[in-house]
């Protein structure tokens, strides 16, 4: 077992060193983007926000969508049902909005997720004057210049879409919420300057002509995932997806352990079904890290009990942990620079994004195992079975 540990530890250290190099590359890209002029492209934009139910800070999140500067846009809030608990809040925000805001009732889904159905229904009703589509989530709180920075790069017609990512800030001091924030943090560094980026549904902008020519609405017809399906279409058409770290979006969250598992299991299951090329390497990397730490801990305890020197095993085990913490620190530096509005809160909870992320791979492994044994998931009160990327079954409970 000791020989196996040495082998795994050396492999893990090599991977950790590579990931630190990747994190430094990512940080350099973040800093270059923060000093890049977004340009002057300001077409007519439709901002599409699917909503369901009451969530922490909902009204403040939606008000933020009405306050964008330097952009000609109209706002569309989409609900599946007129009896949704959020409807009164949404109508109040729309009524007081300084930009034109509409509320659309999409109706129940059939063969796709509720969110996808909401987006399809809204887009099918859009007037032809809208040149760019921007997708946002109701749990995000972007800044006033966010929309301009998202849309302006599309002035380059070679770009397929621009995208960004959320950054969770715990709204409660319980462990489940802290774990959710730590779980989400590494996703931010999966997006980069030259990598194979993916669209995030809470912050993606695309020219309407590209959206229509690529056949996204058809792809969505039987899909549960709006963003991964959009990504698949763009990749098939050799369209680039540009990551904009200057548009990172704050999301204030609170959850319990049931909510934590529901969210994390759903994200990994969707990844397995829609992006197996991402799921496989990620599963292997997290599994290797966890096995290395477990084996190292077992060997250390064995040496302590038998009063043998354990310094070399402690060093190798802690080195793997240290490399993970360094990656978390580099990520945190980039995020605090990209999100000045949340800098004090993020820095004040830095232990979540540095210390907790060291242990988060164990939660990821549980998520990967779950995605191997079931194709079913829950999402905002609805249950789905992901038969394939082209087939979704709504499960009746």
């Amino acid at each position: 077992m000791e020989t196996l540990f040495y082998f795994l530890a050396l492999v893990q250290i090599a991977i950790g060193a590579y990931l630190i190099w990747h994190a430094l590359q990512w940080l350099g890209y973040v800093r270059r983007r923060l000093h890049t002029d977004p340009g002057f492209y300001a077409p007519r934009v439709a901002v599409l926000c699917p909503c369901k139910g009451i969530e922490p800070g909902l009204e403040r999140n939606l008000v933020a969508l009405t306050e964008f500067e330097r952009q000609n846009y109209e706002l569309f809030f989409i609900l599946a049902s007129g009896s949704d608990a959020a409807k009164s809040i949404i109508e109040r925000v729309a009524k007081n909005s300084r930009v034109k805001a509409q509320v659309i009732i999409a109706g129940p889904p059939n063969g796709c997720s509720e969110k996808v159905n909401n987006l399809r229904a809204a887009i099918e009703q859009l007037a032809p004057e809208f040149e760019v589509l921007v997708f946002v989530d109701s749990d995000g709180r972007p800044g006033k210049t966010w929309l301009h920075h998202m849309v302006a790069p599309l002035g380059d017609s070679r770009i397929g879409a621009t995208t960004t990512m959320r950054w969770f800030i715990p709204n409660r001091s319980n462990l489940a919420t802290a774990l959710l924030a730590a779980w989400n943090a590494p996703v931010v560094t999966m997006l980069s300057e030259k990598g194979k980026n993916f669209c995030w549904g809470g912050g993606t902008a695309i020219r309407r002509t590209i959206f229509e020519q690529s056949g996204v609405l058809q792809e969505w017809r039987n899909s549960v995932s709006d963003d991964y399906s959009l990504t698949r279409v763009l990749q098939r058409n050799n369209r680039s997806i540009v990551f904009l770290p200057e548009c990172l979006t704050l999301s204030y969250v609170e959850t319990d352990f049931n909510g934590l598992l529901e969210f994390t299991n759903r994200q990994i299951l969707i990844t397995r079904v829609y992006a197996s090329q991402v799921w496989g390497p990620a599963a292997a990397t997290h599994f290797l890290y966890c096995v290395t730490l477990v084996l190292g801990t077992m060997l250390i305890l064995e040496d302590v009990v038998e009063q043998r020197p354990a310094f070399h095993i402690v060093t190798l085990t802690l080195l793997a942990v240290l490399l993970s913490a360094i990656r978390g620190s580099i990520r945190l530096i980039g995020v605090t620079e990209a999100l000045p509005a949340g800098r004090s809160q993020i820095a004040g909870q830095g232990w979540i994004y540095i210390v907790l992320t060291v242990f988060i791979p164990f939660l990821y492994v549980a998520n990967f195992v779950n995605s191997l044994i079931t194709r079913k998931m829950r999402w905002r009160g609805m249950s789905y079975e992901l038969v394939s990327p082209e087939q979704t079954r709504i499960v009746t409970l």
Side-chain angles (χ1 to χ4, degrees):
M1 188 166 69
E2 194 166 320
T3 302
L4 176 62
F5 167 75
Y6 289 143
F7 172 75
L8 292 177
L10 292 174
V11 172
Q12 183 59 43
I13 290 168
I15 292 173
Y18 167 78
L19 291 176
I20 285 178
W21 174 82
H22 179 270
L24 290 170
Q25 296 288 107
W26 177 86
L27 179 60
Y29 175 59
V30 170
R31 289 173 168 170
R32 288 194 301 276
R33 285 296 319 178
L34 292 177
H35 292 92
T36 300
D37 189 292
F40 301 99
Y41 182 57
R44 185 68 172 153
V45 175
V47 177
L48 302 154
C49 180
C51 303
K52 183 172 183 177
I54 306 294
E55 55 197 335
L58 175 64
E59 185 162 2
R60 185 65 194 91
N61 295 343
L62 300 185
V63 168
L65 302 180
T66 72
E67 297 176 338
F68 293 133
E69 299 173 347
R70 300 173 62 192
Q71 199 66 54
N72 178 20
Y73 74 103
E74 192 168 323
L75 188 54
F76 298 86
F77 298 115
I78 317 128
L79 292 164
S81 168
S83 62
D84 193 288
K87 187 169 183 283
S88 60
I89 294 176
I90 292 170
E91 288 178 336
R92 180 165 63 249
V93 172
K95 180 181 179 181
N96 296 324
S97 174
R98 66 174 182 80
V99 298
K100 187 175 180 181
Q102 299 184 35
V103 181
I104 296 174
I105 306 299
N110 180 21
C112 63
S113 69
E114 205 168 62
K115 183 181 182 183
V116 166
N117 188 64
N118 287 353
L119 291 172
R120 292 182 73 249
I123 292 170
E124 287 170 350
Q125 298 177 37
L126 284 182
E129 66 196 57
F130 294 103
E131 300 173 54
V132 169
L133 308 177
V134 175
F135 307 113
V136 296
D137 283 344
S138 60
D139 61 353
R141 195 174 300 176
K144 292 185 177 181
T145 62
W146 183 91
L147 185 61
H148 179 66
H149 282 268
M150 284 292 297
V151 172
L154 296 178
D156 182 348
S157 59
R158 295 170 298 178
I159 294 175
T162 58
T163 196
T164 188
M165 184 47 65
R166 62 181 164 247
W167 185 264
F168 283 154
I169 294 183
N171 235 0
R172 288 168 56 187
S173 57
N174 63 325
L175 179 59
T177 302
L179 288 171
L180 178 60
W183 186 95
N184 179 77
V187 181
V188 173
T189 41
M190 289 178 65
L191 297 162
S192 62
E193 180 177 11
K194 299 177 181 179
K196 290 187 177 181
N197 292 327
F198 53 88
C199 295
W200 170 54
T204 288
I206 184 172
R207 281 176 177 260
R208 192 173 183 179
T209 52
I210 292 177
F211 182 90
E212 293 174 346
Q213 291 168 3
S214 301
V216 180
L217 284 181
Q218 181 62 33
E219 186 78 10
W220 276 354
R221 187 174 297 277
N222 298 299
S223 173
V224 78
S225 175
D226 55 313
D227 40 23
Y228 267 133
S229 291
L230 176 57
T231 299
R232 286 163 61 90
V233 168
L234 292 174
Q235 289 175 346
R236 281 202 302 266
N237 288 275
N238 296 316
R239 297 282 189 178
S240 63
I241 300 170
V242 176
F243 168 52
L244 303 178
E246 65 268 37
C247 295
L248 286 174
T249 303
L250 291 173
S251 182
Y252 295 86
V253 293
E254 55 185 72
T255 191
D256 54 21
F257 279 100
N258 287 335
L260 170 67
L261 290 176
E262 181 179 308
F263 178 88
T264 57
N265 283 336
R266 180 175 69 245
Q267 299 300 320
I268 297 302
L269 175 57
I270 291 174
T271 302
R272 185 194 170 202
V273 173
Y274 287 86
S276 58
Q277 73 281 6
V278 175
W279 183 92
T285 301
H286 286 86
F287 180 75
L288 174 63
Y289 177 89
C290 293
V291 170
T292 303
L293 260 61
V294 169
L295 275 179
T297 302
M298 291 172 60
L299 290 170
I300 291 168
L301 292 175
E302 182 181 313
D303 285 349
V304 169
V305 169
E306 297 185 8
Q307 298 183 336
R308 294 198 304 255
F311 178 78
H312 55 301
I313 298 177
V314 170
T315 301
L316 288 173
T317 304
L318 291 182
L319 186 54
V321 172
L322 178 62
L323 292 173
S324 177
I326 291 172
R327 292 199 303 275
S329 301
I330 295 170
R331 184 187 302 118
L332 189 63
I333 291 170
V335 169
T336 54
E337 291 181 10
L339 288 169
R343 183 174 298 160
S344 60
Q345 285 179 291
I346 296 169
Q349 297 175 325
W351 68 274
I352 292 174
Y353 310 109
I354 297 175
V355 178
L356 273 190
T357 50
V358 168
F359 305 101
I360 281 299
F362 290 94
L363 176 55
Y364 268 100
V365 168
N367 302 142
F368 287 121
V369 171
N370 177 79
S371 70
L372 285 172
I373 61 180
T374 183
R375 287 291 184 105
K376 294 180 180 179
M377 66 174 215
R378 283 186 60 79
W379 191 2
R380 297 213 177 196
M382 297 280 289
S383 293
Y384 305 95
E385 183 178 1
L386 282 59
V387 180
S388 72
E390 295 80 26
Q391 185 179 358
T392 299
R393 183 177 296 124
I394 299 175
V395 180
T396 303
L397 297 179

